[in-house]
Amino acid sequence: MKNLRILQSLSSAFSLHTPLILTTPANNLFLQLRTLRFSCNITQRSNKNGSFPFAIQRGQRLTNRLQALKHLSFSTSAMAKSKFEYVRQFETQDPCLPNTWIVIRLDGRNFHRFSTDHGFTKPNDERALQLMTRAAETVMNDFRDIIISYGQSDEFSFVLKKSTMLYSRRASKLMTHIVSQFSSSYVFHWAEHFPDKPLQYPPGFDGRVILYPSNKNLRDYLSWRQADCHINNLYNTCFWALVQQGGMTNTQAEEKIRHTLSADKNEILFSEFGINYNNEPEMYKKGTILVWKRVEETVTKTCRTAEDPVERPRKVTKLRKKVVPLHTDIIGDVFWEEHPDILEDEYV
């Protein structure tokens, strides 16, 4: 035990809990000393006499070398303080309530003009919707605590699991990281979906944070967004049919369907244009749900087998968690029964 205490005292100035800013030579030595101390702690548990002559000698050598570099190689957090640091007291700490679902919803800023300037197909542009989905997939792959996402038109909602401690649950951090990642991904993948339409100016997205305490609240929120998708899509499908096929102006079409119910719009579509709304693509009517699923993936890997000891490229099939898009109903119970892993225990 005496020898172990000597080693610990030699490295106490460079403990695991001391924040250091090290240049490369001192950093390498510090990491060696940290590793040596850790290994000695483990060895001591299984060695009753606690005798480590080799470790003690090596620890002394490393500490002497660190002391030689001390004046020019590192500084502690205390040395980095300045008289201006008091301004940090004005920062707002905004942690989200614990044990609540955190929903980050983003919306396209001024996307009515953006879609017109970039020639989006009305009432739905499949390329634009696929681009939104691609950007959302990128966000989910970067933030694995997002357990489900839902998108329609120019909006997407990201649901972080109740137990997440990402960014200490700070609302501003979560919102800005997710919105900025989505925005940059939207621009990055633009050319894949619009190869013949260069981006004329940067798109913008705003974001908000909403907390839901119960599973029912969360389900009702997602049901609200999907119901909104259906209402808007039915309206837009009828409106643009009147304009594009019926020859009406925007004002005339808006006036005709202003006070109509869903049944009236369905009747206009079918009787005047032969359009059965039920046959419209599910993505347009129900939006896009992104969930995690385990899927089989075949990759080429250099390895050996029991039958063939020589390493060579081989095709290997393995299970991998992957973001999968769905276009289905989330208002009823079937979806949630098929994906029981999404909702957490109410009393976790």
Side-chain angles (χ1 to χ4, degrees):
M1 290 299 296
K2 180 180 178 182
N3 289 336
L4 179 62
R5 285 196 298 271
I6 293 173
L7 178 60
Q8 289 175 332
S9 66
L10 289 172
S11 60
S12 60
F14 315 105
S15 71
L16 294 171
H17 305 291
T18 304
L20 299 175
I21 304 171
L22 303 175
T23 56
T24 302
N27 187 48
N28 291 337
L29 291 173
F30 170 70
L31 291 176
Q32 290 180 54
L33 183 58
R34 175 188 290 182
T35 303
L36 179 65
R37 180 181 178 185
F38 178 71
S39 63
C40 285
N41 284 336
I42 293 177
T43 308
Q44 189 270 337
R45 297 190 189 103
S46 58
N47 190 331
K48 293 183 178 179
N49 60 24
S51 177
F52 317 110
F54 173 76
I56 296 299
Q57 293 173 8
R58 187 179 175 203
Q60 289 173 333
R61 288 198 302 270
L62 291 174
T63 303
N64 291 337
R65 292 170 65 187
L66 271 172
Q67 293 291 347
L69 291 168
K70 184 176 180 180
H71 67 286
L72 50 84
S73 298
F74 69 88
S75 62
T76 66
S77 59
M79 295 169 65
K81 292 183 181 296
S82 74
K83 66 178 182 180
F84 307 109
E85 194 166 352
Y86 77 93
V87 298
R88 294 186 62 184
Q89 300 172 25
F90 292 89
E91 293 182 12
T92 301
Q93 301 298 321
D94 54 351
C96 295
L97 288 172
N99 199 36
T100 56
W101 296 103
I102 302 174
V103 177
I104 312 292
R105 185 170 84 241
L106 56 84
D107 291 275
R109 183 177 61 84
N110 205 2
F111 251 59
H112 180 76
R113 180 172 69 88
F114 181 86
S115 62
T116 301
D117 291 347
H118 290 86
F120 285 10
T121 302
K122 305 294 185 179
N124 292 290
D125 192 310
E126 184 175 353
R127 300 167 301 173
L129 294 173
Q130 294 289 4
L131 175 57
M132 290 284 291
T133 300
R134 183 70 183 86
E137 288 174 351
T138 302
V139 171
M140 286 189 68
N141 282 315
D142 283 354
F143 300 96
R144 312 287 284 196
D145 276 4
I146 297 174
I147 198 163
I148 184 174
S149 301
Y150 175 78
Q152 51 121 340
S153 186
D154 64 340
E155 72 168 60
F156 241 98
S157 297
F158 299 93
V159 181
L160 289 128
K161 58 187 181 181
K162 274 185 170 185
S163 55
T164 185
M165 289 306 297
L166 187 63
Y167 300 118
S168 301
R169 297 177 69 90
R170 289 186 61 183
S172 56
K173 283 275 191 179
L174 293 169
M175 182 182 67
T176 52
H177 274 285
I178 288 175
V179 173
S180 62
Q181 182 64 48
F182 186 95
S183 301
S184 60
S185 299
Y186 188 94
V187 173
F188 184 82
H189 294 291
W190 172 271
E192 298 173 16
H193 299 271
F194 292 93
D196 57 336
K197 291 182 184 292
L199 195 60
Q200 297 183 29
Y201 51 85
F205 295 88
D206 64 60
R208 69 201 72 188
V209 179
I210 318 124
L211 305 181
Y212 293 108
S214 71
N215 292 349
K216 182 181 185 302
N217 294 150
L218 178 64
R219 282 190 57 176
D220 286 348
Y221 168 79
L222 294 171
S223 297
W224 170 50
R225 299 320 304 144
Q226 188 167 70
D228 185 73
C229 174
H230 162 69
I231 293 168
N232 290 338
N233 188 64
L234 178 57
Y235 179 94
N236 290 332
T237 301
C238 189
F239 175 88
W240 286 106
L242 291 169
V243 172
Q244 295 170 349
Q245 301 178 48
M248 289 186 177
T249 64
N250 289 8
T251 303
Q252 291 171 334
E254 184 179 351
E255 184 63 31
K256 180 167 182 173
I257 61 176
R258 176 176 294 176
H259 301 295
T260 58
L261 302 175
S262 295
D264 302 322
K265 295 182 182 70
N266 274 293
E267 180 60 28
I268 291 172
L269 286 171
F270 189 74
S271 62
E272 296 187 27
F273 307 106
I275 298 174
N276 186 340
Y277 182 75
N278 291 329
N279 296 333
E280 290 293 292
E282 294 297 294
M283 177 170 62
Y284 301 162
K285 296 185 298 181
K286 293 185 170 66
T288 300
I289 305 106
L290 296 179
V291 295
W292 292 100
K293 282 195 173 182
R294 292 195 176 276
V295 296
E296 283 192 352
E297 188 177 70
T298 301
V299 297
T300 302
K301 185 178 179 181
T302 301
C303 59
R304 59 171 64 95
T305 65
E307 297 78 17
D308 183 3
V310 178
E311 287 195 351
R312 63 181 83 247
R314 307 173 196 275
K315 287 187 176 180
V316 179
T317 301
K318 60 180 181 179
L319 285 175
R320 186 171 75 90
K321 276 187 80 174
K322 188 177 180 181
V323 179
V324 177
L326 304 173
H327 311 291
T328 188
D329 177 73
I330 55 175
I331 297 176
D333 294 330
V334 175
F335 171 82
W336 302 100
E337 290 169 356
E338 292 176 348
H339 302 84
D341 54 316
I342 294 177
L343 296 179
E344 296 182 21
D345 191 328
E346 293 277 17
Y347 304 104
V348 169

